[in-house]
């Protein structure tokens, strides 16, 4: 099963991706995670991406397409993949089409998580994550057992620097501007499924499974 997950910051893509990964063995590929890793390692790509990410702006298409190509070349995607945070623009979607065709692969579904913007602020500004294992918490909706520390490895939790209200505003503006074209692209291909992303994570997951016919 090869999937694309569309949805703004805070729509629950990451949470739902983990469930799909556990149930179907698909591999989550998050361009945000790959870019943050490049920044942490201080690679050339990381150095170019860092200031843009800090401002909530998009990293240029050719750089993001490049990291996706690299990830596909590394392999290990036999059980399918789930793209999280990519494509974010029409040129990225077109580049993905070409890349999949070259590799004899195709998409099975594009899931778009639909969440009203006012809910996203609350979700994102309360988000905390473990710098070591990547587990994501929310201060009120999904708190760790001990406030401020990861349940799994006890590390002190951090807040992403682009999860502040001002930076989130930028990220949502970019999303609102670019994503309708991406959705249209996949609607034309008959791949788009819009999922109502409000409710419990389990309820939303049930909707996703229905859309996938699984
Ligand atoms: P995310 O973790 O998906 O919210 O991504 C964090 C940041 O990484 C975004 O605000 C962008 O600066 C950058 N980024 C992630 N994915 C993409 C993409 N597909 N195209 C351009 N920039 C991206």
């Amino acid at each position: 099963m090869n999937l694309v997950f569309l949805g703004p910051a805070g729509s629950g893509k990451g949470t739902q991706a983990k469930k799909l990964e556990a149930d179907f063995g698909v591999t989550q590929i998050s361009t945000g995670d790959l870019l943050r890793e490049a920044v942490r390692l201080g690679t050339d790509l990381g150095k170019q991406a860092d200031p843009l990410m800090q401002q909530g702006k998009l990293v240029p298409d050719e750089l993001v397409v490049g990291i996706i190509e690299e990830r596909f070349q590394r392999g290990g995607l036999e059980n399918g993949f789930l793209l999280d945070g990519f494509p974010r623009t029409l040129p990225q979607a077109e580049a993905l089409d070409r890349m999949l065709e070259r590799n004899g692969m195709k998409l099975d579904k594009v899931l778009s998580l639909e969440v009203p913007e006012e809910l996203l602020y609350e979700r994102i500004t309360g988000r905390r994550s473990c710098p070591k294992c990547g587990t994501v918490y929310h201060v009120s909706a999904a708190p760790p057992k001990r406030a401020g520390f990861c349940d799994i490895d006890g590390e002190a939790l951090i807040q992403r620097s682009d999860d502040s209200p001002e930076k989130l505003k930028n990220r949502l503006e970019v999303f609102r501007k670019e994503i309708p074209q991406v959705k249209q692209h996949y609607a034309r291909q008959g791949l788009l499924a819009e999922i109502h992303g409000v409710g419990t994570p389990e309820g939303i997951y049930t909707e996703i499974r229905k859309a996938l016919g699984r």
Side-chain angles (χ1 to χ4, degrees):
M1 201 160 51
N2 296 329
L3 306 173
V4 165
F5 233 138
L6 304 178
S11 60
K13 290 191 305 286
T15 304
Q16 298 297 332
K18 289 278 175 286
K19 289 178 185 288
L20 288 165
E21 215 173 22
D23 285 349
F24 300 106
V26 295
T27 301
Q28 180 192 10
I29 302 175
S30 152
T31 42
D33 286 348
L34 291 171
L35 288 166
R36 277 184 291 277
E37 174 76 359
V39 170
R40 202 176 57 76
L41 295 173
T43 64
D44 282 348
L45 166 71
K47 287 187 186 121
Q48 290 180 70
D50 191 29
L52 296 165
M53 294 172 75
Q54 287 296 337
Q55 297 168 61
K57 290 187 180 157
L58 288 183
V59 173
D61 290 334
E62 56 277 19
L63 292 185
V64 184
V65 170
I67 60 167
I68 285 284
E69 279 177 344
E70 230 171 70
R71 178 60 194 86
F72 271 79
Q73 273 160 20
R74 245 192 290 149
L77 304 176
E78 296 74 20
N79 285 333
F81 59 80
L82 194 174
L83 290 170
D84 166 1
F86 178 91
R88 273 206 179 48
T89 65
L90 183 59
Q92 289 180 16
E94 290 167 348
L96 177 64
D97 284 352
R98 290 192 295 273
M99 193 187 80
L100 292 175
E101 204 181 320
R102 277 201 305 277
N103 289 295
M105 298 164 111
K106 65 173 190 53
L107 293 175
D108 296 300
K109 207 63 152 185
V110 174
L111 302 164
S112 174
L113 273 179
E114 308 289 327
V115 179
E117 247 182 55
E118 56 275 18
L119 285 182
L120 301 176
Y121 279 87
E122 145 76 17
R123 286 190 187 179
I124 283 292
T125 53
R127 178 157 80 173
R128 302 290 182 274
S129 62
C130 174
K132 196 165 165 197
C133 71
T135 305
V136 179
Y137 300 89
H138 186 280
V139 288
S140 55
K145 292 197 186 81
R146 182 157 73 107
F149 295 92
C150 181
D151 289 348
I152 294 165
D153 49 34
E155 280 283 313
L157 301 180
I158 55 167
Q159 181 172 29
R160 269 171 54 175
S161 59
D162 60 350
D163 276 354
S164 66
E166 317 76 65
K167 290 176 183 166
L168 180 60
K169 191 164 158 271
N170 274 347
R171 289 160 71 197
L172 293 178
E173 256 165 36
V174 170
F175 184 84
R176 255 196 317 259
K177 181 164 157 268
E178 300 291 341
I179 224 68
Q181 296 174 63
V182 177
K183 283 173 67 175
Q184 268 165 30
H185 177 77
Y186 289 125
R188 275 196 296 270
Q189 297 184 3
L191 291 173
L192 183 71
E194 291 186 321
I195 309 286
H196 182 60
V198 182
T200 62
E202 292 72 28
I204 296 164
Y205 188 55
T206 303
E207 291 304 307
I208 288 175
R209 292 189 64 152
K210 265 192 225 156
L212 297 176
R214 307 287 278 263

